[in-house]
Each structure stands twice: as C-alpha cells, then as structure tokens.
Amino acid sequence: MIKLKQMILTICFVLFGALCHATGVTKTQNEKDGHQVSIELTQSTSASSSDKSNAITPFINGHVLVVSFNENLGQVSVEVATTSGASVQCLSVLTPNGLQVYIPNAGDYVVTFTLSNGDVYSGEFTVTD
C-alpha cells in the first residue's frame, strides 16, 4: 500500500514538472512570434478625461495587427498608416470587441485610435518579412 502511494505521488510530480516545462516553452514561443505595440495618449480633448492607453492592447504578429480592448470605450476609430502618412486601413469598431488588420507590406507603421470623446492614442510598429 505504501509503495502504491509512493508510485502515484512520483507520477504526479513528474507530470506536474512536464506540464510546467510545456507552459514555459509555449510562453517562450509566443514571445518570439510577435510583440506588443506600446500606445500613448497623443491628444486629449479635456483635462478631466482619464488615460485609457492601458485599455488598448495592440500586438503585431508577422503581418497581422491584433488589437484587443480591455474595457468598453464606445465607438473607436482605428487607422493604420505608414510613417510617411499613406493610409493602409481605416475602420470603426465597437468596444470591447477586438479587431485584426492584415498589413501586406513590410515597413514602419503608425496605428491611431480616436475615441468617441475625441481623445487620440497612437503607437508605432514595424512589420518585417
């Protein structure tokens, strides 16, 4: 009976270690695949509005920009443009839904978020082949 308990505990410890290792490998792979785009407030319409940059989470993975909104910001206009100003995609989305934008060419880009209260947030990112 004691040997059975020891065997079961040993198996549990081995499986637990294997699962922890697998989780670590998955996190490392996700970090290599893409990176988060930092967002900052570029234009505020009133001094009383709070900074919502932490509620917008853009992530670039290859040629796909994935944006998630962590809270309800109402209607948000999103524009993806090159750093020289050529527009790639303009759209409007209701939050807290997310969106995906495919960017066909490699280069430097700017994503701009305009909230319904007029506040503007933007971030720069690079698409590589």
Side-chain angles (χ1 to χ4, degrees):
M1 183 70 168
I2 293 175
K3 288 193 176 211
L4 180 63
K5 281 183 184 179
Q6 288 177 341
M7 183 182 286
I8 291 174
L9 287 174
T10 304
I11 291 172
C12 289
F13 286 132
V14 169
L15 288 177
F16 180 73
L19 289 174
C20 289
H21 176 71
T23 302
V25 169
T26 303
K27 284 184 182 179
T28 303
Q29 184 63 33
N30 286 341
E31 290 172 2
K32 288 180 184 177
D33 287 346
H35 64 279
Q36 187 170 347
V37 178
S38 63
I39 295 295
E40 52 188 52
L41 179 65
T42 56
Q43 179 181 351
S44 179
T45 56
S46 67
S48 64
S49 64
S50 62
D51 185 12
K52 299 289 186 183
S53 59
N54 59 349
I56 305 169
T57 309
F59 186 84
I60 186 73
N61 189 0
H63 286 265
V64 178
L65 176 68
V66 179
V67 181
S68 63
F69 298 96
N70 301 329
E71 62 183 73
N72 189 353
L73 301 174
Q75 187 90 14
V76 177
S77 296
V78 181
E79 180 181 13
V80 178
T82 62
T83 53
S84 61
S87 183
V88 175
Q89 180 91 26
C90 290
L91 53 112
S92 184
V93 63
L94 285 171
T95 59
N97 295 329
L99 63 106
Q100 292 184 358
V101 177
Y102 178 74
I103 302 163
N105 300 321
D108 296 324
Y109 293 88
V110 176
V111 60
T112 305
F113 303 93
T114 306
L115 278 63
S116 57
N117 67 359
D119 289 352
V120 178
Y121 297 86
S122 65
E124 295 185 10
F125 62 95
T126 302
V127 174
T128 57
D129 277 330

